[in-house]
Amino acid sequence: HAEYKLATLKPIAPFLASKEGRLFASLLLALSDTPRHLSIHVGGMLIASKPLSRLVPLEPARMAGRVVCQWDKDMVDDAGLIKVDILSLGMLALLSEATALAGSLENLTYDDPAVYQMISEGDTIGIFQVESRAQMQSLPRTRPQNLSELAVQVAIIRPGPLQGKMVSPYIRRKQGKEPVAYPHPCLEPILKETLGVILFQEQVLQAAVAMAAFTPAQADALRRAMSRKRSVDEMEHLRKEFLTGARKQGIPDSAAQDTFSALQGFALYGFCKSHALSFASIAYKSAYLKLYYPALFTAALLNNQPMGFYPIEVVIEDALRRGVSLLPVDINTSSLYSTLEGSSVRLGLVTVKGVKDIAALLPHRPFHSLSDLLKRAPLDDRSLEALIIAGALDTLQPSRRSSLWHLFARPRQKPLLPKKEAPPLLHQSDWRKVVDEMSTMGLSTTAHPLALLRHGLTQEGFTPSIDLLALPNHARVKVAGLLICRQRPPTAKGFAFLTLEDEGGLMNVILTPPIYEAYRIPLKTSPILAVYAKKQAQDGLLNLLAYHICPVNVV
């Protein structure tokens, strides 16, 4: 098969027909499926009762101070060693921080309709595991109403289920647009929860026992096959045993073949139910905090960045739309991390990028003037410059340009303000402040960039996101926004998806393959885009099908 594929390469076909070429092809076959390089599992570790050097071959890793086992995870499993994967989830740190102030969530019940309503509407920015564009597109269709349905939602929007064509059947059945069907009646008790769709590893094991009368050992062999990188090849060896067992149960070969094919497809993306339920529990708790403690949730979310699907600017704008008040970073009043001041969120000093050893500043506070700060602050000029640009010194000196002039014009030996006053400086526009703040913090407390452009955009006929719902379906619209996310998943048959943001919210844009190719350059080079599109509203979702894209001129 490999030789045939190589022979289709016309430029080297004569070479492959030669003796040397056939030797070359045989060498390629010998190299096929061999490891290309060694890597370290992010959270994997071996546990043993004696030093690992006595049990397995070890070697220094590429990372300094790390040692790795020379065997891969499958060989470790075959040898009977214990491998533990420890996930590091930023959301757990967020929940710990938030509940320290909001109170324990240990007694929280998972049946609040308001929480599920928010999730079902796709209002999930910052919520664990269900905030991606694909989740936001799916949630209004599936509308999970309990923890089990939320666990299904967490598990199904992943590359594997999409490639295995499991998502659309589940959504159609959940909406009542397609009857729930099972490969065989014996599988109904197993697949009823997931509407006839095989989604969890536990269902695979149960299906193997119910349909093919697999023993626990055979079912475990199936589980092992599913977890291996080359599981498709290994599961093929189990097909014969599966079909033989199904025949003994009186099950037609067609039903058994269909079921095993589904199991074999599932092997590419196996997800255990306990994992999905654990993630769903965290998703619910984060949604609960967002709904009932939005300011607290926002502060904790800021303190645990980077995390999640969206940049910090999107998180902030979402909080502002929910009524959270944001206070700028301040050299005297800000703590290291974001905190609550009443019902408002005060940005922390660590929000400002490029400041070295910001904690060293705290013992010297308060600073009474810009002169006092420049005299006593134990920071280098680059750090002070970043704080000025971010607006952290505005309470000491409202003019950021004046502060910068004083910073760099002061005598090098004695850090005092020069006696000569600053020369006349041009007024700093709000647009310049926004650009500076986003360059140093990734967010702006002055304004949203699109709010500053709105007057000109309105004159040119651009529609704000908050007015899109009122337009008739299939209407042609012009919108503009920050390019937040650009995706072109391999399962989308060449389609691409954009997420734009203006001062009113997010907009989902769909690009056909020809449109994506035609506008590849602005898509990859322009931070603010103008999109000409047709409105598509269905199942509570609003998408824009683009037919023309260009950069927005901000000069």
Side-chain angles (χ1 to χ4, degrees), residues 35 56-57 69-81 228:
V56 295
C69 170
Q70 294 184 16
W71 295 349
D72 66 15
K73 68 181 184 67
D74 295 333
M75 297 171 69
V76 166
D77 189 33
D78 292 339
L81 296 174
R228 290 178 180 261

Side-chain angles (χ1 to χ4, degrees), residues 104-110 281 284-285 288:
S104 174
L105 298 179
E106 292 298 321
N107 298 322
L108 182 70
T109 58
Y110 295 93
S281 170
Y284 182 93
K285 290 177 179 179
Y288 181 90

